[in-house]
Amino acid sequence: MKRIYLMICLACACTAMIAQGKKDTPVYKDANRPVEERVNDLLKRMTLEEKVMQLNQYTLGRNDNVNNVGEAVKNIPAELGSVIYFSYDPKLRNEVQRKAMEESRLGIPLIYGYDVIHGFRTVYPIPLAQACSWNPELVQQASAVAAQEARMSGVDWTFSPMIDVARDGRWGRVAEGYGEDPHTNAVFAVASVKGYQGDNMASDKNVAACLKHFVGYGASEGGRDYVFTEISRQTLWDTYMQPYIEGVKAGAATLMSCFNDISGTPGTANPYILREVLKGKWGHDGFVVSDWGAIEQLRPQGVAADKKEAALKAFTAGVEMDMMNNCYNKHLGELVSEGLVSMEMLDDAVRRVLRVKFRLGLFERPYTPESTEKERFYLAESLRVAEQLAEESIVLLKNENNILPLQEAKDIAVVGPMGDTRWHLLGSWAAHGDSERIVPIASALKEEFEGKASVTFAKGCDFDGEDSSGFEEALQAARKADVVVVALGEKKNWSGENASRSTIALPDIQLQLLKEISKTGKPIVLVLSSGRPIELGKVEASCKAIVQMWQPGISGAKPIAGVLSGRVNPSGKLAITYPYASGQIPIYYNQRKSARPHQGKYQDIPNTPLYEFGHGLSYTSFEYGKLKASASSVSKDGRVTVEVPVTNTGDRDGLETVHWFITDPVASISRPVKELKHFEKKLIRKGETVVFRFEITPMKDIAFLNHNGDKILEKGKVYISVKDERVELDIE
Ligand code: BGC
């Protein structure tokens, strides 16, 4: 009896203790409470200094020297909001995180960001190449692979995707986005956000995404980086905003403000874009991080006299986190005390940062499990995705008399500086990619053709410079061969940030090599690897085939070897126009209409590009049937379906992408000559016919945006087209 009585007493005491404990647990630490309640509770407890510190981002982990790790931990204040994490070691993250959790008064975890642009360790092709795959599902999978590797390595947040519409190949950052078209950028923005964030950012395999660089960075004048951009309100909405609209709708947790001055108001001090549109009109409740140094750069841009004014302008415009400017940490507190920034505005900013931290589950799981590299990287499925994406992004630009695939050749010569490089195939922003794993072009071809053809390699020359002493060896190899694969292109650092070029032509030495090889009379297959389209107007005729392999990442040259042998049937199509010459830039398919379409031509070069947007060949042939619409007119809220049958008339299976365009011939605001509105990629087996469909909802697919971003649907005729076929539709 006594024992039972004792046990009851004990149980009661325990229950009371638990209840008391619960009562003492602050709301913000209670995982069962809604995020908003937790955020508000935490905010109430924070001092001005603590609030300000949440809005700053420093760097961590550049120094790999183990002796300095202690220093790195010491340099990060326990109250800091975020770091850019250059390491992939969860240990260092955890040490610094422990400091934030245990040494700061409130135990607020840091958020670790990093540029995971096209993969973390398993590097996949550059984004421009990914767009040429026209396979958003695959890009979503690749982004999920990147997220898993990053999160398991201590990164919670990627500064990706870059969805800046870019129409100037001289701008090095064309490599980082999805090409020249707003709709394409929008579709891939959604795919990558979904891949990074999954259904639940708190999962230990997902990261927060960051749409960048908001907005208009791709309009950099003359392809020069960081410069002024001239963007009218109409073009802002027509062209540059569209991908952001969709990316925000897809739930992107954060955005990065841009470096560029937008017609007089830099993006980082632009209340219209950041406050009125993003936070107001679109209701985005995550936060905006400045680009690296972009707040401080408001001084050289001429809108702030000093760092304090820069902090004021950026903050009141709507930039919540200061990336490496030392503006907010130094001046924001002061600005609040002086009444120039209201406490309400400060609270709103902190609330946004905390919200993302809660959504990432950082308060519950601040530390990263210390897994082995083998558990995180190069998983079989991750490598498969990287290889498939590299295969599908390759674009066969030319294939005279079906010289490709190489089936008869017994002797293949590979010449050119791209032939034996691993490093340059990684592309810019290659995160923790390890080029040692990459198989170069010549080696991949040797493996691919083993037992079928001999493959010899002679470099011929370097990527640039004037040294032609290797030409002779290359010519000898070419003379002995049945076919010459000339592997040319760009070094890794010729594209990406701060990598502008005055021309998109190859350096002279590479062109000379090509010219000398062509004098041998041997058929040339030109293989290009680059981060931008290349000017080929003058050399195109000397090549029987041209293949753009872009920068494929970790899969290296195995995919291109597969294309040359025929193991892989190419299916990539251009997401960016290939100009005939650099002088045509800017040239893109969706320009506004000319007053005299048949005049205004260049006198010295053709007006048309060498290869247009959407161009890309296959080893099989596809025949398009007649377009058929389910109705000839449609009301504002109605729907209409247009379909087209496509038959594989060749002798092998192939993947085909159908691009659907609309043309609005007469509108109150002039519309582009045509606009991509839908695309789909499907496998068509040889001899089979597959029907492709475009389900049109007028408000989504036909309406356009005015200079305020309001949707306008006008009555009248529009055309729906696929290749050269079109049907007419009446909007009632
Ligand atoms: C780039 C951003 C990048 C950031 C952090 C900047 O220089 O413009 O795209 O995310 O650095 O590395």
Side-chain angles (χ1 to χ4, degrees), residues 160-406:
S160 169
M162 183 185 109
I163 48 173
D164 296 321
V165 171
R167 292 161 166 184
D168 190 333
R170 295 170 299 178
W171 190 52
R173 303 197 84 164
V174 286
E176 293 177 54
Y178 302 107
E180 74 188 32
D181 173 61
H183 178 72
T184 311
N185 273 278
V187 170
F188 285 103
V190 173
S192 58
V193 168
K194 282 191 185 160
Y196 290 137
Q197 298 190 170
D199 295 332
N200 172 17
M201 276 192 335
S203 136
D204 57 4
K205 298 213 164 40
N206 293 333
V207 293
C210 180
L211 308 175
K212 71 183 190 185
H213 307 80
F214 195 47
V215 58
Y217 188 23
S220 279
E221 274 195 341
R224 289 182 292 268
D225 216 348
Y226 313 121
V227 300
F228 171 74
T229 54
E230 178 51 62
I231 309 173
S232 71
R233 273 286 167 89
Q234 184 59 44
T235 300
L236 181 76
W237 282 102
D238 257 351
T239 306
Y240 296 103
M241 285 295 218
Q242 278 200 42
Y244 289 93
I245 296 176
E246 298 306 322
V248 167
K249 265 199 226 148
T254 70
L255 288 90
M256 186 182 289
S257 73
C258 58
F259 286 128
N260 49 299
D261 178 333
I262 308 164
S263 301
T265 311
T268 297
N270 201 310
Y272 172 67
I273 284 161
L274 298 172
R275 210 163 275 288
E276 199 177 319
V277 175
L278 175 67
K279 298 176 215 294
K281 197 172 167 121
W282 298 345
H284 186 251
D285 69 355
F287 67 90
V288 174
V289 61
S290 77
D291 202 343
W292 181 298
I295 300 177
E296 209 268 327
Q297 288 159 23
L298 295 174
R299 284 189 309 153
Q301 282 180 315
V303 294
D306 50 29
K307 279 191 159 196
K308 186 171 168 188
E309 195 181 359
L312 176 65
K313 287 222 160 160
F315 189 76
T316 50
V319 175
E320 280 88 22
M321 189 171 281
D322 169 326
M323 180 195 280
M324 295 304 291
N325 297 275
N326 282 318
C327 286
Y328 287 2
N329 56 4
K330 294 220 166 71
H331 302 291
L332 201 50
E334 201 182 324
L335 288 166
V336 174
S337 308
E338 288 169 7
L340 291 167
V341 166
S342 69
M343 189 56 88
E344 202 189 339
M345 199 178 254
L346 180 68
D347 283 353
D348 176 67
V350 179
R351 197 174 274 126
R352 289 168 177 277
V353 172
L354 294 177
R355 219 175 253 147
V356 173
K357 290 188 175 183
F358 278 112
R359 286 178 185 159
L360 277 163
L362 292 175
F363 283 81
E364 282 64 63
R365 286 179 306 285
Y367 305 110
T368 304
E370 293 178 11
S371 58
T372 61
E373 288 189 25
K374 216 171 145 201
E375 286 168 308
R376 280 177 264 159
F377 303 144
Y378 303 137
L379 307 183
E381 176 61 7
S382 313
L383 290 168
R384 186 201 64 76
V385 169
E387 190 168 328
Q388 190 187 340
L389 190 48
E391 287 175 0
E392 292 198 22
S393 64
I394 293 171
V395 187
L396 178 61
L397 294 169
K398 177 177 180 179
N399 194 15
E400 203 176 297
N401 302 329
N402 294 328
I403 180 174
L404 291 179
L406 298 174

